[in-house]
Every structure is written in C-alpha cells, then in structure tokens.
C-alpha cells in the first residue's frame, strides 16, 4: 500500500469487520489542522462524510449456522438452521445442501424466516448432510461455514432369542451386545438377571464403551445368570434392552490358570481434537485376574491423566499437542503377560492469527491482503470473491494466504473471503474491497482559521476525491509561490511561518481530477497572543487549611476563552474531587481554584490552561503542604541482646516541617498490638537515625517500627522490621499466688499461677517447689519440668492431717535458677470425714414425704462439707436405693416423691472434697397412707348478698387411705392472683366475698397423708360487679336441686351461674 502522499482522503484505508454493530465506522476528516499553540478552527465539530445509518456496505455475518443433531422422535417436527447478516442494502439469502441450492418452491418442506432455514418433517434419508447459507446484496456475496445436520435415533434390538453361553469356572468370557441401529453415540451398561440390577465393573468385569460387550476375565459361580445389554442414546436419552443372554457353568471341571489375553483395546491409531477428553480402553481375560498397567513410550503419561475402571481405562482430559505419542497397556498375572501399543495423534482445527479487513482504495492502487492460521495438519488456503473461487490470473496473484491485485479497478470491488482449512474443518475471514471514484468535494466549505501573531499557522487541503486530485493554492487571483515563509507541504497543507497582520485574507485550494474539480476557501485572521497570570505562583499551607489560586487571561476581546485546571499535569475532575476542589468563575476572563481542607497528597504543581480559538496558554503554580512527617524508611535490627535491640532507619519526608522526635514501638505475640518501648537515648531526636530499645523481655520474638513527629503532628509508622528474638537469660519473675491445701489424707497440695511464656526468658523452663514442716530447718526441693504445670502433690504418711508447711516456688531455665516466691504457710490435707453423723431421726410428713434430721460428727480433721442421705424401701436392696445431697452443711432434709404407706430405710454420711465418710446406722420411717381419692361431692351453696354458705357430703376414706381430719376450701377471684384458703372440720362453711367480681370455689379433704382430690369447681358471680343487696338471695346445688320455702329456687350445673 502506498503511503499518504497527497491530499486525497479516499486513499486506501482499512478497518476491521465488526460483527455486532449496525454499520461500519469511518474516520473524521477535518478540513484543516493547525499547530497546537497557533491556530484552531472556530468550528467545534465536523460532519462525517457518511453517517453509519447511510453508509452502504456488503454483507457481514452476525450468526452462521451451527451443527445440529435432531431427534427423530421429537414432538417439534421442525429443524431450524440459523443464518443472519447485516448490510446496506439488507442482504438476501440462499441455502445449499451438499453444494446444491435448496428450492423452496419445489419442496414445500423448506421455508425461510429472514435468513433462517426451516425444514418441516425432516428425515435422515433426504435431509442429512452439510448446509451453508449465502448472503448477498448489491455490494457482494459471502458464504457461511458448513453446518452438519444429523439425526438422533435409537432402534430396537432384534427380538430373536439369544443362545446361552456355557463356560467352566475360572474361564474368561465375552458377552456380545450387538447394538441396534443408532445415531449418534450410545452408552452401554448391562443388567444382571432383572432390571435394575446392573453389573458392577471391577478388575474382573469390564463393559467396553467402544464395542458394548461385557468382558469377564475369570468366571465365578456367582456370575451364573441372565445378562441383558442396555443402551442409551446420548441425545434423546432413549433406552432399549436386548434379549437376555444366559450364562451357565459347565460341570466337567474347573479351568486352570492361564496367561492374560487382551480382548479389548484402543485402535492402533487414535485421532483426537485438541481440548477433548480421550478414553483409551484395555482389558484382558486371564486366570488369575490380570493387572493392567499403562505407560507412554519415550515420555511420561500426562499428570492430568486418570485411571478408571480398575485401570482398564486411561482417561486424558483437555488433550493437548504435547500429549501425542505412543501409549502401551500391559496385562500381567503370575502365568505371564501381554501388551498392546497404539499411537495417539492430536489434531487442531484452523485458527486465525491474521485476518483480512475491509479496505477502500483508489483505482489504480495495489491491494495486498494476507491471512494466516494455525492448525494441525497445517491448513491450506483458498480465496473466494462474491462466493466464487478466486484464482491467479492477469492482475491477480494468489500465494497460499496472500492475495495481491495490481492496479485495482472498479470491477474488483466486492466481498472477499479467505478460507483456511485442513481435513478436520475450515474457518473463514471476510472483508469488503471498495474501489472509489469521485470528483473532489470539500466539506465544510468555506472555513475560518485564526492564527496567533508571530506564530506558525497551517491550512489543510484535504478534499474527498478518487483518483487523487491535483492541488493548487492561490491568494486572490494569484497562484501562491512557495518561499521561506510560505511553504507547501507534501500533504498539500499550506504553512505560513511567523504570521503577521499582512497575512490576513482569503486563501483558495483548488482540487482537480478527471471526474471534476472543487475549491476550498479559507479565511485567515491573525490575533494578538494571549497572556495568562496565575497567582500566587508559590504558596505554603498546613494540612487542614484552605487556599485560593486565581487565573486571569488577557486576550483578544473578540474571542471567547475557556479555562481548565490541572494537578500534576492531569485535568482536575471537580465532580470526583468536589470535596476538596471547587471551580469558581469570578469574571469572564478570570477563574479561581479553591482547595479546601488540604491534605498532604494535594502538594504539587497546579496548572491553569486558557484556550481560545486562536491559541492555548498554560501557567503553573506550586503548592507546598506542611504536615506530619511521612513514614520513616526500612527499620533494621543491627544488634540484639537479651533485653535490648539496636535499631536503625532512614529519614522519611518531613513534609516541610522539621522532624522533632522519633517514637520506637514494638510488637510481640504477648502484646496488645504495638506498644511504645523505652529507648536509649530518651528522647530520640529528629536528627537521629538509630537508637537502642531497652527493657525488653529475654527470649521473646519482637517486631519493631518507628514513628516520626513534628510540630504539626505524628505521622504514619514505618513498615515493621523483620521479626527477631532476644537472647536467653535467667528467669526473673517468680510464680504468683502460691497456695494449696485440700487433697487426700497425708498429702500436701501446692498450687501456683504459671509464669507466662513472655517471662520464661529461655528454653528448658520449669519450677522448683521447696517446702518444709513448720519449725524444721532443711528445705525439700522438687523439680517440675513442665512450664504449664500449676500443681505439685507431696505425700508422706508420717505427718498428721492439717500439718502446717512453709512453701515457696521458684523458676529455672537452661540459663540457670531464677527467684523464689515469698514463703507462705500451707496445711496438709485433712482427709475425708472419719465419723458418721449421730442422732439420725426420720419422721413421716405425708404419704410421699419423710423428714430426716441428724447431728454432725465430732469436730476434728476430715470435717464434712455436706451430707448425703441414702434411702430405699424395705423390700429393696440398698444398692438400688436413691441418694440426695444437701446444698451446704445442713443437718436436715425432706425426702419427696416417696410411695405411700411404705417402710423406708435411711442412712446419712458426710463428704468433702477428699471423699465420703462412713454411713450412719440405718433408721426406718413409714410414709402415711395416701389421702382420699374421692373428692367432696353434692356441693350446695346459698348466695346471700356478699356471703356464700357452702355445704357438701362428708368424704369417707377407704381402708388403704388416711382418715379425713378436715376440709380445705379455696376461693379464687378471676383476673386476680389473690387466693383465700379456709380450713374446717365440718362439711360446710360460710365465705365472705369481696365487693364485685367472678369467683371460683374448690373443696378438698384433708388427711394425715396430705390433701385429697379436688371437687368440681363452683362459679359465683355478683350482679354487675356490685355487692348483692340483702334482699337478693338464691339457692344453688351440685348436682341436684333443693326447694327452700321462703327463697327463690334456681338449679345450676357445675361451673355455671344463673
């Protein structure tokens, strides 16, 4: 392609084919260009030569047909193949099957909807094959890729009875599936005896997904039965079952051992597309059952490979070119072995690495297109023009993927396709070639150009024309002759150096070719240069303050001026940064930049750019921000001891305020975050870059960081140093809270709070427990080697209970012994209680309760901390009895939940933290008889005002029940929690009702065995919640009526009021 050497804007240019937009994109073609700081067009925008809506172009595929597998048993009887292209004019479509055009008029089964092909009542016989569509309009024709239409179906097995197979035990057998006609692939499985009992595959049994056969390497008696082959279509999911194949066992002996024989294996040559999953099968018959192993000849089996089905299948997912090679499976048993080899070859479809793009050219130019694709096997190339093969002839040269057309002509316009293909597929790259022919046209015309006095200015002349036009410039009636100040550039641009007022006026560019001519008039104005003042030019502020920068432009008043603010050469986004920056227009030629609540990040260069149609001027100011220091540089631990660390660092930014001090901080696994450490010297002044952290703990891992401060504040910390551990030292902290006591008889129990790992100061940490009996001189010392220990027990049966000891606990590690704690007095254990409680008594309280009391044993060692009461019926064993413990050191307890009229045996024993003491002698107590089960009946009551007289039939206890000693009457007012209880020895009583309300009354018999069953409930209501008058009286009864001569008789049912 030739370089752009003329003013023609219709020189050859390329653009990519865009598959998903409505039209092709064409570049803007400005009428002129000027130096950035000299002249600008007054026109802010220019029309495109053609808008997308009006641009005419050839067909571009949006959707091409894809392969289709259509189920023959589908309820939807239509096959749809998709084809859609955009273009202007709209494309029309044709469809082809196996290269032959489909005729919709001759075959009613074919129809088009837009570009899509609809096939009604499709059948495999007439419609199986490769389809492609052709899209065409007045600019050319393109062919789609091929799409294969297949049909999915699964026939039925032959109904013919299958003969039985008889083998000896230990022999191998192959059961044939012989699948019915089908398309596409099917999945095989086998049913044993009856559905759904499927044959499970293992090292002895294998179902080949290539042949469908069932292989049993060594038959066992359990294998005898009926076998049915089940096949499933992978598209339709249809399933069919074969007739059964009986497998029987011969009785003439057992098959001896024999060497493996490979019955099923992958082909000697396997072809696989890149990216698919490859399954290689290998299974052998043999006795004993053979073992299958795999290897790759001259290489390793890919790590991603998996062995399936007891190693009978080698599965390689996402196959790649490097996975090609020769693979071997080997079957072995103790009798021998055999192997099979096959070659796996991976192929790839062609894929583009370089495609062709739409191109527009002037007639007579040279077209060079090249397309490249990768693939295995290596693809070949062919070219199509408007859907027809293109070959080398006359001006056309084709060499593989390169197309050259010399001196293109209008007849060469059209749609071109480069096809890269190998035996496994093809891919298409499409482009449109337009050969242009037009008389020169200038848009816009005329134009105005504004130049700055003393600056250079350029006036472009770029007509749309094809072929390229001849260009001439004139001013007024005179043709312009180039000189030192006025130059004609190679691209036909007129350039004026050091423009002056004398250069103002009209300039005409004339363009002419064999199709016509046109002129462009450019009016040149020369204006004074603009000046910009930005103040202040340098300003210092402190973080949090605000500042205003003012920008004033002095310019030709006939021109409008526009301002833009920059920060460090980047435009300020006032919407995004509005929290800190504000644009303020004070006058037409003056603008301010207000910066509020300044942060350190706002320090830098601020620029004001003023722009007119004549020139652009930029002024800059510097803002310095004083703030807290930045983080110091890397912290290095120069030297470490057991309690100190020498640190060094590099200075960070002082942010225009001198650093006054540094603060050293440390963090360890035992600290709550970062903590300030003591230093030497103290303080660490701002001119220092090293210091010593002191009073650290030995044998602790620390990280260090440094924080700088100045007069404005404290800055961010440095990055942490590497973690370092201080040296070991003798422990310096003794255990705290040494105490003890309790334990079993003759034991001295000593306890303490363990020393934190932070203060163990080194490895091999432990405790030294020292003790001596009060009044003796020598200390006994015992080593406790566990750093987590909190207790030590010493046993000596020679010392009596509660013997006082002096005790202290020290620490040690590999460096030596540390300090002891203060001496404390600890008593040896007093032991479990020695004596049983005395004076144990038990008295029956009711039919379910017995009260037990006792006295504590004599004072002395082994004092009880509580008591345990055991009880059981005289008809039971003591071991089956129940136990209850007192909450504290109480000397009484009420046993509840007992059976009535039963004799219980009861013992009491003391206990403490050491154990239990002896039990007291058993005492007996008999629970009382149960209360009467019969409730009071025949309740009658008289309501007289606020008084209720109540009576009932006496309750008679049965022989096994406690005698009645009285009655309890419960009066409850509904809606309130207050209850009134009245006890009486007679079967009647009088109750006084509080003023107003609804009441319920219940009656129970009382006995030595407790309360009896409750009566039916009586419900009494006072009139309207007001005290009943004395002359209002009624008689009620439950469950029968009574007649009173002088009173009104009312009959009520239980719980009802009249």
């Amino acid at each position: 392609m030739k370089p752009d050497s003329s003013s023609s804007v219709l020189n050859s240019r390329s653009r990519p084919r865009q598959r998903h937009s409505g039209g092709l994109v064409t570049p803007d073609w400005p009428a002129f260009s000027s130096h950035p700081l000299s002249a600008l067009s007054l026109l802010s925008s220019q029309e495109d030569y053609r808008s997308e809506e009006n641009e005419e172009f050839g067909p571009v595929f949006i959707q091409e047909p894809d392969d289709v597998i259509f189920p023959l048993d589908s309820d939807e009887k239509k096959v749809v193949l998709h084809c859609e292209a955009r273009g202007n004019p709209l494309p029309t479509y044709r469809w082809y099957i196996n290269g032959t055009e489909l005729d919709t008029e001759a075959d009613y089964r074919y129809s088009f909807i837009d570009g899509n092909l609809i096939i009604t009542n499709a059948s495999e016989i007439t419609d199986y094959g490769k389809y492609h569509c052709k899209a065409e309009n007045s600019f050319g024709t393109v062919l789609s890729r091929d799409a294969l239409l297949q049909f999915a179906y699964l026939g039925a097995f032959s109904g013919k009875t299958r003969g039985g197979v008889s083998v000896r035990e230990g022999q191998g057998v192959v059961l044939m599936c012989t699948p019915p006609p089908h398309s596409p692939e099917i999945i095989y499985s086998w049913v044993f005896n009856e559905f759904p009992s499927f044959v499970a595959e293992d090292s002895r049994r294998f179902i080949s997904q290539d042949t469908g056969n069932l292989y049993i390497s060594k038959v066992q008696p359990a294998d005898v039965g009926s076998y049915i082959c089940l096949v499933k279509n992978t598209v339709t999911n249809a399933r069919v079952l074969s007739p059964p194949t009986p497998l029987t066992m011969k009785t003439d002996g057992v098959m001896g051992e024999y060497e493996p024989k490979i019955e099923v294996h992958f082909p000697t040559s396997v072809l696989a597309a890149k990216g698919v999953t490859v399954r290689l099968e290998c299974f052998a018959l043999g006795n004993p059952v053979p073992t299958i192993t795999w290897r790759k000849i001259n290489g390793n089996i890919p790590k991603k490979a998996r062995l399936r089905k007891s190693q009978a299948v080698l599965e390689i997912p996402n196959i790649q070119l490097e996975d090609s090679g020769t693979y071997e499976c080997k079957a072995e048993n103790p009798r021998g072995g055999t192997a099979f080899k096959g070659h796996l070859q991976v192929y790839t479809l062609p894929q583009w690495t370089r495609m062709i793009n739409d191109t527009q050219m002037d007639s007579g130019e040279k077209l060079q297109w090249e397309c490249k694709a990768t693939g295995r096997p290596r693809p070949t190339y062919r070219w199509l023009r408007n859907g027809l093969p293109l070959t080398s002839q006359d001006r056309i040269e084709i060499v593989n993927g390169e197309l050259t057309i010399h001196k293109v002509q209008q007849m060469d316009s059209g749609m071109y396709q480069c096809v890269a293909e190998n035996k496994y597929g093809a891919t298409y790259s499409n482009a449109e070639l337009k050969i242009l022919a037009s008389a020169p046209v200038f848009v816009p015309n005329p134009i105005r150009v504004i130049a700055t006095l003393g600056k250079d200015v350029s006036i472009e002349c770029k007509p749309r024309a094809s072929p390229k036009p001849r260009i001439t410039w004139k001013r007024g009636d005179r043709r312009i002759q180039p000189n030192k100040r006025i130059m004609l550039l190679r691209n036909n641009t007129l350039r004026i150096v050091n423009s002056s007022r004398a250069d103002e006026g009209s300039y005409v560019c004339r363009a002419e070719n064999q199709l016509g001519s046109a002129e462009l008039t450019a009016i040149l104005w020369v204006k004074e240069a603009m000046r910009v003042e930005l103040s202040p030019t340098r300003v210092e502020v402190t973080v949090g303050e605000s500042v205003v920068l003012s920008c004033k432009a002095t310019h030709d008043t006939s021109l409008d001026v526009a301002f833009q603010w920059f920060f460090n050469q980047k435009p300020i986004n006032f919407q995004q940064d509005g929290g800190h920056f504000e644009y303020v227009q004070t006058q037409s030629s003056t603008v301010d930049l207000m910066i509020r609540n300044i942060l350190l990040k706002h320090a830098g260069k601020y620029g004001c750019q003023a722009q007119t149609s004549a020139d652009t001027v930029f002024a800059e100011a510097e803002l310095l921000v004083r703030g807290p220091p930045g983080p110091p540089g890397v912290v290095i631990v120069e030297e470490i001891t057991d309690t100190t660390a020498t640190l060094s660092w590099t200075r960070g930014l002082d942010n225009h305020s001198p650093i006054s001090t540094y603060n050293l901080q440390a963090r360890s696994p035992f600290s709550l975050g970062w903590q300030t450490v003591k230093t030497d010297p103290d303080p660490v002044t701002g001119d220092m870059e090293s210091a010593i952290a002191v009073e650290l703990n030995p044998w602790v891992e620390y990280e260090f960081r440094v924080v700088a401060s100045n007069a404005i504040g404290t800055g961010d910390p440095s990055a942490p140093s590497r973690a370092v551990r201080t040296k070991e030292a003798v422990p310096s902290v003794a255990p705290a809270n040494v105490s003890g006591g309790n334990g079993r008889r003759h034991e001295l129990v000593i306890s303490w709070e363990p020393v934190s790992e932070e203060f163990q100061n080194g490895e091999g940490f432990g405790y030294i427990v020292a003790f001596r009996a009060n009044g003796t001189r020598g200390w006994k010392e015992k080593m406790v080697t566990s750093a987590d220990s909190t207790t030590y027990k010493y046993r000596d049966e020679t010392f009596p209970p509660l013997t006082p000891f002096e005790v202290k606990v020290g620490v040690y590690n590999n460096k030596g012994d540390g300090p002891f704690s203060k001496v404390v007095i600890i008593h040896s254990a007093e032991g479990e209680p020695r004596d049983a409680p005395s004076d144990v008594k038990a008295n029956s309280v009711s039919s379910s309760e017995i009260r037990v009391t006792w006295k504590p044993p004599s004072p002395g060692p082994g004092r009880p901390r509580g008591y345990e009461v055991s009880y059981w019926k005289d008809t039971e064993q003591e071991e089956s009895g129940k136990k209850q413990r007192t909450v504290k050191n109480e000397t009484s307890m009420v046993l509840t939940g007992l059976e009535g009229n039963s004799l219980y045996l009861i013992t009491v024993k003391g206990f403490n933290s050491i154990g239990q003491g002896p039990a007291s002698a058993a005492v007996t107590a008999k629970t009382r008889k149960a209360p009467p089960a019969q409730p009071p009946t025949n309740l009658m009551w008289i309501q007289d005002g606020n008084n209720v007289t109540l009576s009932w039939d006496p309750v008679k206890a049965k022989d096994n029940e406690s005698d009645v000693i009285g009655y309890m009457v419960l009066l409850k007012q509904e809606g309130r929690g207050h209850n009134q209880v009245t006890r009486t020895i007679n079967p009647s009583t009088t109750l006084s009702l509080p003023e107003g309300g609804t009441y319920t009354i219940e009656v129970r018999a009382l006995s030595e065995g407790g309360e009896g069953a409750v009566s039916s409930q009586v419900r009494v209501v006072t009139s309207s919640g007001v005290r009943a008058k004395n002359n209002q009286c009624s008689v009620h009864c439950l469950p029968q009526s009574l007649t009173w001569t002088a009173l009104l008789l009312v009959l009520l049912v239980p719980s009802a009021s009249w």
Side-chain angles (χ1 to χ4, degrees):
M1 305 268 289
K2 295 179 181 178
D4 183 11
S5 58
S6 75
S7 62
S8 171
V9 299
L10 293 176
N11 280 345
S12 62
R13 56 188 183 271
S14 299
R15 62 183 185 275
R17 298 295 286 182
Q18 301 181 14
R19 295 181 63 92
H20 300 292
S21 58
L24 297 177
V25 179
T26 58
D28 293 335
W29 301 103
F32 69 92
S33 64
S34 59
H35 190 277
L37 297 178
S38 59
L40 294 172
S41 171
L42 285 177
L43 298 174
S44 60
S45 63
Q46 302 175 4
E47 297 180 359
D48 284 336
Y49 181 55
R50 290 172 296 190
S51 67
E52 280 193 17
E53 292 79 3
N54 296 326
E55 183 180 10
E56 295 182 336
F57 57 92
V60 179
F61 280 118
I62 298 174
Q63 185 176 17
E64 298 184 60
D66 292 311
D67 293 345
V68 175
I69 301 178
F70 184 75
L72 284 177
D73 59 356
S74 171
D75 294 334
E76 176 61 52
K77 298 301 182 182
K78 295 181 180 178
V79 177
V80 180
L81 294 171
H82 296 280
C83 182
E84 182 182 0
R86 58 184 177 85
N88 190 9
L90 289 175
T92 58
Y93 302 91
R94 300 182 191 179
W95 278 89
Y96 297 80
I97 176 173
N98 299 325
T100 302
E101 184 175 359
L102 296 176
D103 189 348
T104 56
E105 294 183 359
D107 192 336
Y108 72 93
R109 296 183 309 110
Y110 299 129
S111 60
F112 294 160
I113 297 181
D114 296 328
N116 300 329
L117 170 64
I118 313 297
I119 307 176
T120 306
N121 296 327
S123 69
E124 184 180 29
I125 296 176
T126 58
D127 299 315
Y128 173 88
K130 290 185 177 181
Y131 289 75
H132 73 264
C133 74
K134 178 189 290 186
E136 57 187 326
N137 66 9
S138 56
F139 287 92
T141 301
V142 287
L143 301 183
S144 75
R145 61 173 175 247
D146 286 339
L148 178 63
L149 173 59
Q150 304 177 75
F151 292 85
Y153 58 88
L154 179 61
F157 279 97
S158 168
K160 184 179 179 181
T161 301
R162 297 193 173 188
V165 178
S166 184
V167 295
R168 294 187 180 92
E169 181 180 351
Q171 188 177 352
V173 69
V174 180
L175 302 182
M176 311 296 287
C177 179
T178 316
H182 60 272
S183 175
E185 298 82 5
I186 54 178
I187 298 174
Y188 298 91
S189 56
W190 282 78
V191 176
F192 181 54
N193 286 334
E194 61 181 16
F195 187 85
S197 175
F198 288 94
V199 173
E201 296 181 79
D202 51 27
S203 61
R204 198 171 58 83
R205 293 170 293 190
F206 177 70
I207 300 171
S208 171
Q209 294 302 318
D210 289 334
T211 65
N213 299 336
L214 170 61
Y215 301 83
I216 304 177
S217 64
K218 175 186 174 184
V219 174
Q220 298 176 353
D223 296 324
V224 172
S226 179
Y227 289 83
I228 300 171
C229 181
L230 184 150
V231 297
K232 174 184 174 183
N233 190 292
T234 56
V235 175
T236 65
N237 289 324
R239 301 183 182 188
V240 292
L241 296 168
S242 72
T245 300
L247 177 64
T248 59
M249 190 81 72
K250 293 180 179 179
T251 59
D252 57 352
V254 177
M255 183 74 176
E257 294 184 354
Y258 63 95
E259 64 182 10
K261 178 185 178 184
I262 295 178
E263 282 292 335
V264 59
H265 57 74
F266 56 99
T268 55
S269 179
V270 178
L271 290 175
K274 178 183 175 182
V276 303
T277 296
V278 173
R279 297 175 74 257
L280 304 180
E281 294 184 346
C282 183
F283 190 78
L285 308 184
N287 186 8
V289 175
T291 299
I292 306 295
T293 57
W294 294 83
R295 71 185 182 107
K296 183 180 180 183
I297 308 299
N298 298 326
N300 296 322
I301 290 179
K303 291 183 179 180
K304 61 189 173 183
R306 298 290 181 267
L307 291 173
R308 309 288 189 194
K309 297 188 177 182
S310 300
Q311 305 192 107
V313 175
L314 175 64
E315 184 176 281
I316 309 176
N318 190 24
I319 197 85
Q320 299 297 312
L321 295 175
E322 59 268 22
D323 299 328
S324 299
T326 300
Y327 289 79
E328 178 189 74
C329 75
K330 191 172 185 179
E332 296 177 291
N333 68 7
R335 304 294 296 180
T338 183
F340 174 80
K341 297 178 183 178
H343 187 73
L344 172 62
Q345 181 177 344
V346 180
Y347 67 84
T348 61
L349 301 175
Q351 290 185 319
W352 290 118
T353 59
R354 179 179 297 177
M355 303 173 69
I356 58 175
N357 296 318
D358 290 352
T359 301
Q360 297 181 358
M361 305 188 74
D362 292 332
S363 58
E365 290 189 325
K366 177 181 175 182
L367 170 69
Q368 284 185 313
W369 265 335
E370 182 182 16
C371 58
K372 283 186 178 181
T374 60
R376 180 175 290 191
R378 181 180 299 174
T380 59
Y381 302 90
R382 56 188 175 93
W383 288 82
L384 304 175
R385 179 170 64 191
N386 294 327
L388 299 176
L390 189 64
T391 58
S392 295
Q393 55 179 341
D394 300 334
R395 297 176 294 107
I396 300 174
E397 293 181 11
I398 296 178
V399 180
N400 293 326
E402 295 184 13
L403 169 64
T404 303
I405 303 180
H406 299 275
K407 295 182 180 180
V408 295
Q409 302 176 6
Q410 192 66 38
M411 61 181 293
D412 297 320
S413 296
M415 301 302 301
Y416 287 75
Q417 293 178 281
C418 176
V419 186
E421 55 192 348
N422 60 19
K423 61 190 295 185
Y424 301 108
T427 183
Y428 291 67
S429 177
N430 305 343
E432 180 180 1
L433 174 63
K434 282 188 176 180
I435 307 303
L436 305 173
S438 67
V441 175
F442 288 100
V443 178
N445 191 11
I447 62 172
R448 289 178 292 180
V449 179
I450 301 176
T452 301
L453 188 64
K455 301 290 182 67
D456 298 350
V457 61
S458 295
I459 306 175
E460 291 185 343
C461 180
K462 290 187 175 180
R464 298 183 182 89
S466 183
K468 296 176 183 177
R470 296 181 302 279
I471 302 296
T472 56
W473 280 93
K474 61 181 180 178
R475 184 178 181 186
D477 295 332
R478 299 179 59 183
R479 183 170 178 173
I480 294 177
Q481 298 297 326
N483 54 42
K484 291 183 179 181
R485 211 172 59 83
I486 300 177
M487 295 175 283
L488 289 177
L489 305 183
R490 293 184 62 184
N491 63 355
N492 298 317
T493 295
L494 179 66
R495 186 172 185 81
I496 302 174
V497 178
N498 191 18
S499 59
S500 64
R501 299 281 189 187
D503 296 320
E504 291 185 331
S506 295
Y507 294 80
V508 176
C509 171
R510 177 179 176 83
E512 183 176 1
N513 65 12
Q514 58 263 43
L515 299 178
S517 63
E519 290 184 345
L520 166 71
T521 301
I523 303 170
L524 176 64
W525 293 342
V526 181
K527 302 290 185 180
E528 290 285 343
M530 178 171 57
R531 299 189 308 276
V532 172
E533 294 180 19
L534 179 58
S535 62
T537 57
R538 189 175 187 276
V539 60
E540 291 189 14
V541 295
T542 301
V543 168
E545 295 180 347
S546 299
V547 71
V548 175
L549 301 178
S550 183
C551 182
K552 181 179 180 180
T554 304
H555 60 95
D556 190 302
T557 56
S558 66
L559 302 178
D560 293 330
V561 62
F563 294 92
Q564 187 173 14
W565 286 98
F566 292 80
F567 175 47
N568 291 335
Q569 308 301 320
K570 294 182 179 180
I572 295 176
N573 186 330
F574 287 94
Q575 292 183 345
Q576 180 177 336
D577 300 320
H580 295 282
F581 297 117
E582 182 180 353
Y583 184 102
V584 181
Q585 180 89 43
T586 56
Q587 300 177 12
S588 60
S589 298
T590 304
V591 295
D592 291 342
L593 173 64
M594 178 174 286
I595 311 173
R596 295 191 179 92
N597 191 21
I598 290 175
L599 304 176
L600 286 174
K601 68 178 183 179
H602 295 139
K605 300 282 189 178
Y606 287 82
C608 174
Q609 177 178 284
Q611 183 175 13
T612 66
S613 54
D615 62 355
T616 300
V617 181
F618 187 82
E620 211 168 38
E622 184 178 13
L623 177 64
L624 302 178
V625 180
R626 294 185 299 267
V634 177
V635 178
I636 298 174
V637 182
E638 304 282 0
E639 184 180 355
I640 194 80
T641 70
D642 56 347
T643 59
T644 67
T646 302
L647 309 178
S648 66
W649 60 90
T650 55
R651 291 174 58 85
L653 297 174
D654 64 8
N655 290 325
H656 310 292
S657 177
I659 297 173
S660 56
T661 59
Y662 288 102
N663 176 252
L664 273 59
Q665 298 177 348
R667 178 173 64 182
S668 75
F670 312 107
S671 64
L672 295 175
W674 291 94
Q675 303 291 326
T676 298
V677 296
K678 292 184 178 181
T679 60
D680 181 16
D682 184 18
V684 181
T685 57
D687 57 346
M688 300 178 65
E689 293 186 14
S690 68
I692 301 175
V694 299
E695 297 186 17
L696 304 176
N697 290 327
W699 199 240
V700 172
E701 190 175 77
Y702 286 98
E703 293 176 282
F704 298 95
R705 71 181 187 183
V706 180
V707 182
S709 300
N710 60 15
I712 297 172
T714 300
D716 293 330
S718 68
S721 71
R722 63 181 178 87
V724 294
R725 184 183 288 273
T726 50
K727 304 293 186 183
E728 291 181 282
V730 173
S732 57
V733 177
N737 295 330
V738 177
S739 60
N742 296 326
R744 296 192 175 276
R745 191 183 303 276
H746 306 302
E747 278 187 350
L748 173 64
V749 179
I750 302 169
S751 61
W752 61 89
E753 286 185 8
V755 175
S756 166
E757 184 182 349
E758 182 179 7
F759 302 108
Q760 292 175 6
N761 291 6
E763 292 185 313
F765 181 85
Y767 301 94
I768 304 172
V769 181
F771 53 92
R772 65 185 178 188
N774 232 358
T776 61
R777 299 184 64 181
W779 291 90
K780 289 187 178 180
E781 292 188 351
K782 300 295 183 182
M783 307 287 285
V784 179
T785 59
S786 172
D788 298 324
S789 295
T790 60
T791 304
Y792 174 75
K793 294 181 180 180
Y794 175 72
R795 183 174 181 83
D796 187 343
E797 299 195 6
T798 62
F799 57 77
L802 297 177
T803 299
F805 282 84
E806 291 181 284
V807 177
K808 59 182 180 180
V809 181
V811 289
Y812 72 93
N813 63 17
N814 290 346
K815 282 290 186 177
D817 295 347
F820 276 92
S821 65
K822 292 181 180 181
V823 176
V824 297
I825 302 297
I826 300 175
H827 290 81
S828 63
E830 59 179 339
E832 65 274 4
R834 290 186 174 185
D835 300 323
S838 60
D839 199 15
V840 179
K841 297 179 179 178
N843 299 300
S844 176
V845 177
S846 68
S847 61
S848 60
E849 297 173 323
I850 293 176
R851 181 176 183 83
V852 185
T853 61
W854 60 89
K855 291 181 180 180
S858 301
R863 291 167 295 178
R865 298 287 184 254
Y867 296 92
E868 182 177 271
V869 179
S870 300
Y871 56 99
W872 63 97
K873 292 170 64 174
D874 63 339
T875 58
E876 299 174 340
Q877 295 296 320
E878 180 178 358
E879 292 75 14
S880 63
K882 297 182 179 178
K883 296 178 175 61
Q884 288 191 34
R885 285 191 169 190
T886 59
V887 178
K888 294 182 179 179
N889 213 353
E890 300 156 349
T891 58
S892 66
M893 177 184 291
V894 176
L895 305 178
T896 59
L898 307 178
E899 292 186 18
N901 198 25
S902 299
L903 182 65
Y904 281 87
L905 286 82
I906 301 165
T907 64
V908 182
K909 63 176 70 172
F911 68 87
N912 58 21
S913 59
I914 310 305
Q916 294 180 338
S920 66
V923 297
T924 59
K926 187 175 183 179
T927 53
R928 299 176 181 179
K929 293 181 180 180
Q934 177 66 32
T937 58
N938 200 20
L939 270 68
M940 296 181 295
W941 71 97
I942 302 171
Q943 182 176 347
D944 184 6
N946 63 330
N947 293 325
V948 173
T949 300
L950 184 68
S951 64
W952 57 90
D953 289 346
V955 175
K956 295 181 179 180
K958 297 180 181 179
D959 292 341
N960 62 344
E961 295 177 340
S962 298
D963 293 335
V964 176
I965 58 175
Y967 299 92
M968 183 180 73
V969 181
L970 176 65
L971 175 67
K972 295 189 293 186
Q973 184 175 4
E974 290 186 1
R976 298 188 183 180
H978 176 71
N979 296 334
Q980 178 182 329
V981 178
T982 302
R983 286 179 170 83
T984 178
I985 61 174
N986 301 313
S988 63
T989 188
T990 299
L991 303 175
S992 178
L993 304 181
E995 187 172 328
T998 301
Y999 299 88
T1000 58
I1001 304 171
E1002 297 174 351
V1003 183
R1004 296 175 185 264
L1006 297 177
S1007 71
E1008 290 183 347
E1011 299 175 359
V1014 66
S1015 68
S1016 298
Q1017 194 178 74
V1018 173
R1019 192 163 180 265
V1020 179
V1021 180
T1022 59
S1023 300
S1024 302
V1026 179
R1027 184 187 297 275
K1029 296 180 181 179
N1030 289 336
N1031 62 352
Q1032 291 180 335
C1033 182
S1034 60
V1035 178
H1036 310 269
C1037 68
L1038 291 175
Q1040 60 189 13
S1041 62
L1042 295 174
T1043 303
W1044 292 50
T1045 306
L1047 301 173
L1048 175 65
L1049 176 65
V1050 180
L1051 175 64
L1052 292 178
V1053 297
S1055 299
S1057 63
W1058 291 72

